[in-house]
Amino acid sequence: MFHLGWFLGYGFGAYGWNEQWSGNVGRDVANPQLFIDAATSLERAGFDYMMLEDSSVLPDVFGSSFEYSLRTAIIRQDPMPLVPLLAAATKHLGIIATAATPFYPPFLAARLMNTLDHLSHGRVGMNLVTASPHAAAQNYGYEQHFEHDLRYEMADEWVQAVKALWSSWDADALVLDEATGVFADHEKVRHVDFEGQFYRTRGPLNTVPSPQHHPVLCQAGGSPKGRDLGAKNADTLIASAPGVAAMKEYRDDIRRRAAGFGRNPDDLKVLFLVQPVLGDTDREAEEKNERMLAATKDSIDAQLANLSYTSGFDFAKFDLDEPLPQELKGKSNGHQSVIEAFLAKADGKTLREALPAQRDTTGSVRLVGSPETVAAQMDEAVQEAGGDGFLIGLPVTRKNLTEVCDGLAPVLRRRGLIRDGYEHDTFRENLLAF
Ligand SMILES: Cc1cc2nc3c(=O)[nH]c(=O)nc-3n(C[C@H](O)[C@H](O)[C@H](O)COP(=O)(O)O)c2cc1C
């Protein structure tokens, strides 16, 4: 059996602006109903979790302008207030929201997650990101963003501070004895007095222990430092590795690192990002895939804007019919693993020739066909790569949700590949159930 998550690539944002099948995205922008519908669909299908990505910028690296972002609806509402709405509409689904460690004081994050864990009855998780654009850092008052490896060192310390705050109350600190009038045992609540290189916090939390005590931690680092942060601290890793061999290499490496940190590697579930293309028949799905690939090739601006966002380099400045300047290698302060893989693939090509390869970096394994065919492809990939499951990275439209939740998932369930109901009450217990 494997686990399923859905990755909302624009968080609480807009999906499929001005495209077919995106409903009334213009009229309903910032309306939570689509996300509530998504959560109930995912739960019906037996998903472990829904993961809301986030970022704090209106991207303006590409062309040194907001023009592309505003034309194409690259906006994001804060995902945190959405969590209780999703929780209220569901009973079992895990809900992960993203927090950028450089910008959340540990106390604020620990208290927020504790409270959300109560509101969701033990079903919340936090995706730790270090964020990459300088503009994000500037929104929080920094002159520019911290250097890539430094921000991972900071993130590791940040997690230790957050965990210390969650542990500032013992799980059994609540007495709730109305006869003696004692609410909580003061000997089971203590200061944290956390003094790190980057963060200090006194503690304790002024909130009571939540159902999971330590909400689920999720992470997506690809670089060596990013992998260490995840291997040491995360309960689930969301990964993008091109092809079964790369998936296996990534998972084996993560499990080795986790064991090196004294953890049981089975306590860390690695889910690979995929974008299945489903049709009523294999032929219909292949035709749809061809159309989507052609559209991707045509949408040069979308690819350049995406590269600009992840790298921090303005790709509008490069000549499409020349190779990229060699000196870009090793210079990005952004998503390093993503951008270095692209630069390696672009070697010896013009930028225009290199661009279609960008699509390869967004999905781990090719899944195209009818629900039966895609279920078999997923089974095969997991058997070969040994992954713990998949993260569906399709745009959040009701059509995509229906195809996956009411087409693909029932086939996966009939084949015994995904859960048939939820055994436990909390997200963590369900995640670790197999
Ligand atoms: C599936 C997935 C989801 C991600 N979600 C976010 C996100 O919500 N916010 C963010 O700032 N970065 C996000 N990232 C980027 C990662 O946090 C990280 O910066 C990136 O994978 C590159 O890692 P590296 O810098 O360690 O190479 C995501 C990456 C992946 C693969």
Side-chain angles (χ1 to χ4, degrees):
M1 274 216 293
F2 54 75
H3 300 267
L4 285 179
W6 191 295
F7 172 56
L8 283 80
Y10 289 100
F12 183 5
Y15 293 84
W17 162 246
N18 212 20
E19 286 175 14
Q20 261 183 337
W21 301 111
S22 55
N24 294 303
V25 70
R27 202 181 62 197
D28 291 343
V29 69
N31 182 332
Q33 195 56 49
L34 171 66
F35 302 91
I36 293 170
D37 289 354
T40 57
S41 296
L42 299 182
E43 182 162 280
R44 181 172 72 246
F47 273 63
D48 277 74
Y49 61 81
M50 137 172 201
M51 198 293 244
L52 291 144
E53 177 268 12
D54 194 36
S55 127
S56 291
V57 288
L58 189 61
D60 65 348
V61 175
F62 179 54
S64 306
S65 164
F66 303 131
E67 193 269 338
Y68 178 81
S69 301
L70 291 175
R71 177 159 51 86
T72 59
I74 302 190
I75 49 104
R76 288 168 175 91
Q77 306 300 127
D78 190 324
M80 294 297 177
L82 191 58
V83 173
L85 299 185
L86 304 178
T90 51
K91 286 198 168 64
H92 309 286
L93 184 72
I95 302 158
I96 302 181
T98 295
T101 59
F103 313 135
Y104 259 97
F107 191 89
L108 197 62
R111 187 164 179 255
L112 174 62
M113 283 296 141
N114 167 292
T115 305
L116 289 175
D117 203 36
H118 283 290
L119 298 183
S120 64
H121 305 288
R123 292 188 288 123
V124 79
M126 172 164 56
N127 177 41
L128 307 174
V129 298
T130 60
S132 51
H134 287 303
Q138 286 156 359
N139 285 341
Y140 293 96
Y142 299 101
E143 226 161 89
Q144 57 172 11
H145 202 7
F146 302 96
E147 183 275 326
H148 180 274
D149 285 7
L150 172 64
R151 60 186 191 244
Y152 275 119
E153 270 172 52
M154 294 169 70
D156 184 52
E157 192 183 291
W158 186 97
V159 180
Q160 307 322 315
V162 167
K163 286 184 174 174
L165 287 163
W166 283 335
S167 298
S168 62
W169 288 56
D170 288 346
D172 60 353
L174 278 186
V175 178
L176 302 176
D177 188 335
E178 283 156 5
T180 58
V182 177
F183 176 74
D185 181 345
H186 73 281
E187 291 186 345
K188 293 187 173 176
V189 180
R190 63 198 73 80
H191 289 140
V192 162
D193 290 328
F194 185 92
E195 299 259 352
Q197 208 185 330
F198 311 104
Y199 299 102
R200 304 170 73 180
T201 180
R202 180 170 182 261
L205 286 179
N206 56 348
T207 53
V208 300
S210 68
Q212 296 183 103
H213 206 184
H214 285 221
V216 167
L217 292 179
C218 172
Q219 213 269 323
S223 60
K225 286 275 188 189
R227 290 182 186 208
D228 272 347
L229 178 71
K232 186 172 168 193
N233 300 296
D235 302 297
T236 182
L237 278 183
I238 48 179
S240 183
V244 167
M247 287 162 69
K248 184 163 167 40
E249 181 281 323
Y250 180 86
R251 182 164 180 265
D252 289 349
D253 179 63
I254 289 292
R255 289 174 65 85
R256 249 191 322 271
R257 287 173 197 256
F261 288 116
R263 298 185 64 195
N264 176 355
D266 291 340
D267 290 347
L268 175 48
K269 305 298 176 190
V270 179
L271 268 55
F272 289 104
L273 190 63
V274 288
Q275 291 168 328
V277 179
L278 291 155
D280 290 358
T281 61
D282 289 352
R283 189 159 160 210
E284 193 186 297
E286 289 291 350
E287 282 168 8
K288 181 171 155 191
N289 191 48
E290 286 302 315
R291 285 198 306 277
M292 287 169 63
L293 273 175
T296 311
K297 281 183 190 158
D298 288 346
S299 65
I300 288 181
D301 270 10
Q303 295 177 71
L304 294 178
N306 190 21
L307 283 165
S308 302
Y309 179 76
T310 48
S311 67
F313 308 134
D314 180 2
F315 272 74
K317 290 194 174 137
F318 305 130
D319 189 331
L320 276 166
D321 297 306
E322 293 285 335
L324 285 166
Q326 280 296 321
E327 61 269 20
L328 295 184
K329 284 192 181 156
K331 289 283 159 48
S332 171
N333 196 39
H335 300 187
Q336 285 187 351
S337 53
V338 179
I339 206 67
E340 294 306 329
F342 174 76
L343 292 175
K345 275 198 165 183
D347 236 356
K349 296 180 183 154
T350 67
L351 175 55
R352 192 188 302 277
E353 288 163 349
L355 278 182
Q358 174 65 0
R359 189 181 156 79
D360 300 344
T361 62
T362 60
S364 292
V365 60
R366 185 180 193 273
L367 301 176
V368 183
S370 67
E372 284 73 15
T373 301
V374 169
Q377 290 166 346
M378 291 171 95
D379 189 11
E380 198 182 324
V382 161
Q383 291 199 24
E384 270 185 59
D388 303 301
F390 295 97
L391 192 64
I392 307 289
L394 296 172
V396 192
T397 64
R398 290 184 177 86
K399 181 169 193 266
N400 283 337
L401 287 163
T402 300
E403 286 184 349
V404 172
C405 298
D406 300 309
L408 177 61
V411 179
L412 291 170
R413 187 162 48 242
R414 281 200 293 278
R415 293 174 71 124
L417 293 173
I418 59 167
R419 64 168 80 249
D420 186 9
Y422 299 83
E423 284 173 62
H424 302 283
D425 291 334
T426 67
F427 176 14
R428 175 186 300 284
E429 288 170 298
N430 282 318
L431 189 64
L432 294 180
F434 52 86

